């Protein structure tokens, strides 16, 4: 997947600077080679009796260069989706799973509100072509932990932009699909180290808010709230999910 920002990052000479023995980080390789073996993999899923399958569609394969659509990559995903359906397997599609095109990343990705239009354009291209095959949606995978689980005010704008991008994805999907929509949330249950220590309880509550409650609160109310920054309101965010993922 050579057009994603993750591929680019792992090619850099200092990629292993924090792990010189390569114990926990490695460059990507064939792994299970699903992209090429997907026909056999779908047959295996069917033989095992699976009735549902969660998968991601990689933006950087569909739009490797800004404004240029790779129709062969689109055909790949359409064939995969159709084969899953033919085998009685419901498909749950994630539209953004940590990675995106390098060109988008170099523009600042989701840290800049003006870049959300690129994500919308991608979805406008993709959604009408795949929606007939999809039984459930995640717009994003676990963006609440982007920037680390202990986020300071410098992450507020990214969090707000991601909430808005999720909401725009939700409403775009609704134009083409009646299937339920959400974004996967990485829920972390925080505990104070010393329960009866007031400061420990306050810090645990802070950690819970910046990883969990900012997301839940926004989706319930449309209010974009994060510690140490001015709050905002976006009516499109309010209620923009159909189930907790």
């Amino acid at each position: 997947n050579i057009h994603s920002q993750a591929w680019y990052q792992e090619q850099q000479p200092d990629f292993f600077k924090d792990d010189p023995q390569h114990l926990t980080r490695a460059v990507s390789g064939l792994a299970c080679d699903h992209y090429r073996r997907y026909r056999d993999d779908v047959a295996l899923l069917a033989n095992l009796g699976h009735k549902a399958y969660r998968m991601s569609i990689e933006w950087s394969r569909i739009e490797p260069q800004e404004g240029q659509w790779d129709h062969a990559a689109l055909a790949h995903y359409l064939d995969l989706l159709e084969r899953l359906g033919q085998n009685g397997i419901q498909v749950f599609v994630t539209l953004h799973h940590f990675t995106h095109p390098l060109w988008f990343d170099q523009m600042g990705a989701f840290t800049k509100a003006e870049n959300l239009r690129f994500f919308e354009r991608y979805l406008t291209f993709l959604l009408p072509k795949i929606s007939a095959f999809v039984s459930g949606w995640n717009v994003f995978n676990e963006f609440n932990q982007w920037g680390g689980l202990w986020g300071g005010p410098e992450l507020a704008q990214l969090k707000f932009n991601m909430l808005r991008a999720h909401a725009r994805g939700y409403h775009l999907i609704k134009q083409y699909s009646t299937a339920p929509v959400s974004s996967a949330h990485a829920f972390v249950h925080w505990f104070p180290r010393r329960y009866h220590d007031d400061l420990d309880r306050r810090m645990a509550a802070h950690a819970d808010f910046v990883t969990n409650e900012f997301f839940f609160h926004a989706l319930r109310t449309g209010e974009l709230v994060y510690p140490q920054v001015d709050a905002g309101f976006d009516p499109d965010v309010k209620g923009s999910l159909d189930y907790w993922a």
Side-chain angles (χ1 to χ4, degrees):
N1 185 22
I2 62 172
H3 298 292
S4 75
Q5 95 282 16
W7 171 269
Y8 174 80
Q9 290 165 1
E10 70 184 34
Q11 307 307 309
Q12 303 312 302
D14 62 347
F15 182 71
F16 293 109
K17 66 180 180 181
D18 297 324
D19 184 18
Q21 294 181 310
H22 300 201
L23 296 178
T24 60
R25 303 176 75 182
V27 295
S28 56
L30 285 179
C32 61
D33 202 18
H34 171 70
Y35 199 81
R36 296 176 180 84
R37 298 175 180 265
Y38 72 95
R39 299 174 184 86
D40 294 336
D41 290 343
V42 171
L44 287 170
L45 286 170
N47 289 336
L48 287 167
H50 279 290
K51 299 302 181 184
Y53 180 64
R54 182 188 175 197
M55 56 172 280
S56 301
I57 293 181
E58 175 56 47
W59 180 6
S60 65
R61 290 190 184 274
I62 302 294
E63 191 181 9
Q65 304 297 328
E66 198 267 312
Q68 297 180 14
W69 307 111
D70 188 329
H71 293 277
L74 175 63
H76 165 91
Y77 285 112
L78 288 172
D79 189 45
L80 171 57
L81 290 165
E82 187 171 8
R83 289 171 183 270
L84 289 164
Q86 289 171 347
N87 283 275
I89 299 171
Q90 294 188 82
V91 185
F92 293 80
V93 167
T94 300
L95 294 167
H96 186 287
H97 199 134
F98 295 140
T99 56
H100 48 242
L102 176 60
W103 62 263
F104 180 69
D105 198 70
Q106 291 174 334
M107 289 181 174
F110 294 101
T111 63
K112 298 181 179 179
E114 60 267 28
N115 288 344
L116 301 190
R117 60 192 174 94
F118 297 112
F119 185 59
E120 289 183 86
R121 184 184 64 187
Y122 163 61
L123 296 187
T124 301
F125 172 81
L126 179 68
L127 291 174
K129 299 172 177 62
I130 67 170
S131 292
F133 303 100
V134 180
S135 297
W137 303 87
N138 276 314
V139 183
F140 288 101
N141 181 75
E142 299 180 349
F143 71 79
N144 63 300
Q145 64 173 315
W146 290 14
L149 289 174
W150 190 263
E154 70 280 357
L155 288 178
Q157 189 59 51
L158 173 62
K159 302 273 191 177
F160 291 172
N161 288 344
M162 295 305 301
L163 287 164
R164 291 188 172 100
H166 159 82
R168 294 183 188 187
Y170 176 92
H171 294 294
L172 278 171
I173 290 169
K174 290 298 183 180
Q175 295 180 25
Y176 303 102
S177 173
T178 59
V181 185
S182 187
S183 275
H185 182 87
F187 186 85
V188 179
H189 197 176
W190 296 92
F191 293 91
R193 182 177 295 273
R194 297 161 296 185
Y195 180 78
H196 296 290
D197 184 280
D198 185 58
L199 290 178
D200 280 10
R201 291 202 308 274
R202 289 172 185 264
M203 293 306 290
H206 173 85
D208 179 65
F209 193 93
V210 299
T211 53
N212 297 317
E213 184 58 22
F214 87 91
F215 177 83
F216 300 138
H217 183 83
L219 273 293
R220 286 193 301 264
T221 67
E223 296 171 352
L224 311 184
V225 181
Y226 202 79
Q228 298 178 265
V229 300
D230 290 340
F233 177 75
D234 190 322
D236 289 336
V237 174
K238 183 178 180 179
S240 59
L241 84 166
D242 302 319
Y243 67 100
W244 295 118

